[in-house]
Amino acid sequence: MTDQTTRTTERSLTAIVLAAGKGTRMRSDLPKVLHRVAGRTMLGHVLAAAQGAGAGRIAVVVEPGQEAVAREIAALAPGAAIYPQAERLGTAHAVLAARPALEATGSDAVSDDVVIAFGDTPLITAATLTRLRAPLSQGAAVAVLAFRTPNPTGYGRVLTDGDRALAIREEKDASAEERAVTLCNAGLMALSGTHALALLTRIGNANAAGEYYLPDAVGLAVADGLAVAVVPVAEAEAQGVNDRVQLSVAEAEIQVRLRRAAQVAGATLIAPETVFFHVDTVLGRDVLVEPHVVFGPGVSVGDGCVVHSFSHLEGATLAAG
């Protein structure tokens, strides 16, 4: 473990997960964040990443009246606080729906670090959230997650000076020169607990959409003389899911991860691209998986087992015999 990682893990962390989007493009009666990737809800993936990154306090901002979402949060993160967002006036407005999580209350001090994540980014990992908050232990007030893409259309652009961010400009508010920038805002952000509330409450809505943009915290921090770090991430990991096509892209990406993890751990997949895992699948050493196998929830395969082609397994424990 590096010194920087040690400093980060010793700091307290609040994770705020924004999960109030209606998801109209999903064309579904199911709330968007409850759609599943590798058998786990998108929100579940994000909550697991926050927990893995060391969040001692988790706050989730939700659509009022979404009891199914509340049940999912209670099941996967029992200590999490749930805050309704009655109006949608931008991402900063959504974060401030969870304002009590940013304030000291009773014996609970303000967390050292605050990470803001989104309930529809199921590919984000605990390792990335840990990297995102790492600059805060070195004195940064804000850290933004960013990726490079040859086609930045539609994304906010991260304007930089060396390895520090100067501003994030939404495309509709960007100049022609700024639109040529290929470093894009991934949306996720980490803020020093000391500065988070002061920055968030000063964000205004003087922009083309009349919304309170979370990325404007960057410009405010820079104007205050505070350091803002840029943390790189692969474009695929940062992608949000807004429709069924993007859901299938996320499923494909996480299956690649799960197949690789199984192989690295000692399983042989004869035709990996034809094997589909549930997020909780456990394979032992020297397991052989033939083509066209689907693992549903609750499957554990012991050392040395062979799983034959066209098997669909759920709730099963296999042992060689």
Side-chain angles (χ1 to χ4, degrees), residues 141-185:
V142 179
V144 298
L145 201 63
F147 61 89
R148 289 197 180 276
T149 177
N151 181 20
T153 302
Y155 295 110
R157 309 303 203 275
V158 182
L159 311 180
T160 60
D161 178 13
D163 60 353
R164 293 191 173 189
L166 299 179
I168 298 177
R169 195 83 71 230
E170 295 299 317
E171 185 171 69
K172 64 185 70 174
D173 299 310
S175 67
E177 181 180 4
E178 290 168 343
R179 290 181 184 180
V181 172
T182 59
L183 184 64
C184 297
N185 178 28

Side-chain angles (χ1 to χ4, degrees), residues 73 79 135 151 171 182 203 230 252 285 291 301:
I73 296 166
N151 181 20
E171 185 171 69
T182 59
I203 291 174
V230 178
R285 290 167 61 92
V301 182

Side-chain angles (χ1 to χ4, degrees), residues 58-263:
I58 296 177
V60 188
V61 178
V62 303
E63 170 87 7
Q66 291 287 1
E67 295 302 323
V69 176
R71 287 194 298 270
E72 180 75 353
I73 296 166
L76 299 180
I82 299 174
Y83 297 95
Q85 183 191 10
E87 295 181 280
R88 287 180 185 77
L89 301 177
T91 46
H93 178 263
V95 174
L96 285 174
R99 180 170 182 154
L102 300 171
E103 298 174 324
T105 55
S107 60
D108 293 329
V110 173
S111 292
D112 296 315
D113 302 339
V114 176
V115 165
I116 298 166
F118 296 83
D120 62 356
T121 57
L123 298 176
I124 205 70
T125 65
T128 293
L129 295 184
T130 298
R131 287 194 303 109
L132 178 60
R133 61 185 289 227
L136 305 181
S137 68
Q138 299 178 308
V142 179
V144 298
L145 201 63
F147 61 89
R148 289 197 180 276
T149 177
N151 181 20
T153 302
Y155 295 110
R157 309 303 203 275
V158 182
L159 311 180
T160 60
D161 178 13
D163 60 353
R164 293 191 173 189
L166 299 179
I168 298 177
R169 195 83 71 230
E170 295 299 317
E171 185 171 69
K172 64 185 70 174
D173 299 310
S175 67
E177 181 180 4
E178 290 168 343
R179 290 181 184 180
V181 172
T182 59
L183 184 64
C184 297
N185 178 28
L188 286 78
M189 181 180 292
L191 301 96
S192 160
T194 303
H195 298 99
L197 200 54
L199 291 171
L200 291 166
T201 54
R202 288 162 52 204
I203 291 174
N205 66 342
N207 51 63
E211 294 188 348
Y212 298 88
Y213 289 142
L214 176 62
D216 286 352
V218 172
L220 291 170
V222 171
D224 289 347
L226 302 172
V228 180
V230 178
V231 177
V233 68
E235 182 178 1
E237 184 177 340
Q239 293 305 295
V241 172
N242 294 303
D243 56 34
R244 307 282 184 149
V245 174
Q246 292 173 342
L247 185 68
S248 68
V249 171
E251 180 72 40
E253 178 67 24
I254 206 162
Q255 289 298 332
V256 168
R257 291 184 189 174
L258 294 172
R259 292 164 188 154
R260 177 175 175 77
Q263 292 170 307

